Amino acid sequence: MLNSVYFYPQTYHHSACIRPPLLPYRVSPQNATFYFNGSFSQLKTLQMWYSKLEFKSGNSTLFHSLGSKKVCEGVLTVNLGLDEVYTLTTLTTGRKRPFPDPPASQPFPSVYKDDFNVRNPPFSEAPFFADQTGVFEYFVNTSDPGEHVFTLRQVVNQKPVTWVSDAKNTISVIGSYKWVNLTVSCDVYIESKQGGAFIAARVDKGGIYVGDANGVFFWVFPDGTYRVTGDLHGKEVLMKGLSGVRAAAWHRLTLILKGSKASGMLNGYPLWENVTITKPKNGWAAIGTKSFEFTQFDNFHIQAS
């Protein structure tokens, strides 16, 4: 049997809550009595660990062992002070050990690619992609006999209830916010005739502000058209035309940014070029969809300079 319980009498000034603001309250030192029933009624002792959080001096006590505490006929009483954290556990082998510092932060590699060839675990996210709206997961495409058996798929097909103003499009960002000149390539497979997909560069916003993100977005739609926009909303149209893209077929998109100029390729051939970009000056790479629909991505590649 291995079980643990944690408790923390936290004072109001150390309980900041931003949504909505937490109303003032008082808390005082107290006794907590635990009654153990069922299989826990046989407990004779529990190990106790203690932390005291010192917010002013910074001289906190962290995870100090208080040894065994006797459980009398399934009852244990603990004296609780303010801003103290207690852990009761049946684990007797726990130790407080020093750990080395984590590796220092490193810049994102300037050349990165992913073919998403992962069978297990299914329905998990690809590394380094940060979903801002929607969910992008590994997918096994059993209907494809060729190179696109394993893909990354956007799987949310209706707008969820959110606690912020989400984007109407799904989007997942990757890379370095400092990137300026880069080439982004990706195979896309639009499953719905009402869908659409994009790759992007110099994306300048994420999180709760992603709906207002600017950048360079290269969109293709299953009606055979394309657009280049300066924003995720798609309102600032920089270029548009015919592409020949259709649903239920794989197409390779390439977006090339160098200085103030952008160009795009479809299936290895130039589709549009020399579009002037005035803003933003830098940002992430991204993939995404027009709305909440199933869309697959494969053979993602970035080269930044």
Side-chain angles (χ1 to χ4, degrees), residues 217-278:
F217 296 82
F218 178 16
W219 307 77
V220 290
F221 304 99
D223 63 356
T225 63
Y226 77 90
R227 285 190 181 186
V228 183
T229 68
D231 61 335
L232 182 58
H233 282 300
K235 294 180 179 179
E236 184 186 352
V237 179
L238 306 175
M239 176 75 79
K240 63 180 180 179
L242 299 176
S243 66
V245 169
R246 294 291 183 265
W250 283 100
H251 302 278
R252 185 159 188 80
L253 307 183
T254 301
L255 175 60
I256 305 166
L257 269 73
K258 188 173 182 179
S260 61
K261 298 297 182 181
S263 300
M265 302 176 69
L266 176 66
N267 299 327
Y269 296 96
L271 181 63
W272 53 275
E273 57 186 359
N274 293 326
V275 171
T276 299
I277 307 300
T278 59

Side-chain angles (χ1 to χ4, degrees), residues 5 33 49 60 62 75 77 81 124 132 136 149 193-194 221-222 232 236 254 262-263 273 289:
V5 61
T33 300
W49 295 82
S60 297
L62 299 177
V75 179
T77 297
S124 60
Q132 305 299 300
F136 296 74
V149 174
K193 291 183 179 180
Q194 286 73 46
F221 304 99
L232 182 58
E236 184 186 352
T254 301
S263 300
E273 57 186 359
T289 66

Side-chain angles (χ1 to χ4, degrees), residues 28-278:
S28 58
Q30 55 200 275
N31 295 331
T33 300
F34 297 86
Y35 298 89
F36 299 97
N37 299 314
S39 61
F40 295 113
S41 63
Q42 305 302 315
L43 287 173
K44 301 300 181 184
T45 61
L46 284 170
Q47 305 300 311
M48 178 177 285
W49 295 82
Y50 164 83
S51 296
K52 173 66 174 178
L53 306 181
E54 295 287 355
F55 292 90
K56 292 184 178 180
S57 68
N59 230 354
S60 297
T61 300
L62 299 177
F63 218 60
H64 174 68
S65 175
L66 297 181
S68 297
K69 297 298 176 182
K70 188 175 181 180
V71 181
C72 298
E73 298 181 350
V75 179
L76 174 66
T77 297
V78 180
N79 299 320
L80 307 179
L82 300 182
D83 290 325
E84 296 178 344
V85 183
Y86 297 83
T87 302
L88 289 173
T89 180
T90 58
L91 181 67
T92 59
T93 57
R95 295 181 182 178
K96 180 181 177 181
R97 296 180 179 177
F99 291 93
D101 292 334
S105 178
Q106 299 291 328
F108 198 91
S110 58
V111 178
Y112 179 78
K113 60 182 178 180
D114 195 337
D115 58 13
F116 310 119
N117 286 355
V118 176
R119 181 183 296 273
N120 290 306
F123 313 118
S124 60
E125 297 178 351
F128 308 119
F129 281 89
D131 299 351
Q132 305 299 300
T133 305
V135 176
F136 296 74
E137 296 180 343
Y138 288 135
F139 179 66
V140 180
N141 186 4
T142 57
S143 63
D144 191 300
E147 63 172 318
H148 299 293
V149 174
F150 300 101
T151 66
L152 190 71
R153 191 189 198 203
Q154 199 296 119
V155 296
V156 179
N157 61 0
Q158 60 180 356
K159 184 175 175 60
V161 176
T162 60
W163 64 284
V164 293
S165 181
D166 259 5
K168 66 178 182 180
N169 324 85
T170 71
I171 178 173
S172 186
V173 301
I174 187 172
S176 170
Y177 186 78
K178 297 179 180 180
W179 279 346
V180 177
N181 300 321
L182 68 157
T183 299
V184 184
S185 298
C186 191
D187 299 339
V188 300
Y189 184 92
I190 304 170
E191 299 185 33
S192 167
K193 291 183 179 180
Q194 286 73 46
F198 69 80
I199 61 174
R202 296 187 189 172
V203 178
D204 68 348
K205 294 183 180 69
I208 63 174
Y209 306 108
V210 70
D212 295 322
N214 296 308
V216 182
F217 296 82
F218 178 16
W219 307 77
V220 290
F221 304 99
D223 63 356
T225 63
Y226 77 90
R227 285 190 181 186
V228 183
T229 68
D231 61 335
L232 182 58
H233 282 300
K235 294 180 179 179
E236 184 186 352
V237 179
L238 306 175
M239 176 75 79
K240 63 180 180 179
L242 299 176
S243 66
V245 169
R246 294 291 183 265
W250 283 100
H251 302 278
R252 185 159 188 80
L253 307 183
T254 301
L255 175 60
I256 305 166
L257 269 73
K258 188 173 182 179
S260 61
K261 298 297 182 181
S263 300
M265 302 176 69
L266 176 66
N267 299 327
Y269 296 96
L271 181 63
W272 53 275
E273 57 186 359
N274 293 326
V275 171
T276 299
I277 307 300
T278 59

